[in-house]
Amino acid sequence: MKQSFYDLNYADLEMLLQQNTLNHSAASVLFNWHYKKKENTPCTDKIAKGSLVFFQDNIDFSLPEIDTVQESTKDRTVKFLFKLKDHYKVETVLIPFHNKYSICLSSQVGCAMNCSFCFTGKQGLKRNLTTSEIVGQFLQAWRWLATNRSGEERILNIVFMGQGEPLHNFDAVKKACEIFLSQHGTSIGVQKITISTAGYIPGLARWSQEIPGVNLALSLHSIVDPEIRTIV
Ligand code: SF4
């Protein structure tokens, strides 16, 4: 099975290239292409032929599929339902402010925390999302804006407040943050990323050690309406 490009942070990608005796400069070209320019076609520019063949044979550049989109006529909020490769579905929300957006990302299919007020919690945890499925929500939402609200494709804030307890899927969420923060790619400021948690203690301990610059919010509710926070 091919490795998803979007599961690799910049250091991972450099290491992969090094391990396969390929020029490490391709890492910066690819991050620029897929994260800064947000292209979803294969990058052929400034990549050596040997690297191109390696990527074609070993790396998957596909993103989660948008299943449905709901646009609010009242406040222009956009809710996406993404269909994952195993047919589970997760939600992502774009929240507008002055022609810019915050994005609310899901981190798990279902949730193990079982908060009494939350429909997702009642379903139990189905599985963690991969880093590529988290980063993919952002990239696909950005691409949707570029197509449907051209000129407004500015997602300035990221909040992990969708389905799931992000600190319960720490490794994947941490790597997604590293990708969002990378100056080779989206280069989002650390203060623009917020992890919303129900207070999962082992994850809190890791957050304070491993990604302390990322904001933390103690959440007693979710931005996603309970009646539509279903696991399909
Ligand atoms: S509110 Fe958040 S942490 Fe609590 S059960 Fe729902 S998704 Fe999980």
Side-chain angles (χ1 to χ4, degrees), residues 110-115 117-118 120-121 162-165 198 221-222 229:
C111 184
M113 297 299 114
N114 198 22
C115 300
F117 52 83
C118 175
T120 299
Q163 288 177 10
E165 161 56 62
H221 56 82
S222 168
R229 297 189 73 191

Side-chain angles (χ1 to χ4, degrees), residues 124-145:
L125 176 65
K126 302 301 178 190
R127 71 169 175 85
N128 284 329
L129 295 189
T130 61
T131 296
S132 54
E133 289 167 337
I134 296 170
V135 171
Q137 294 170 60
F138 174 93
L139 291 174
Q140 289 287 59
W142 188 95
R143 294 184 60 75
W144 184 91
L145 282 175

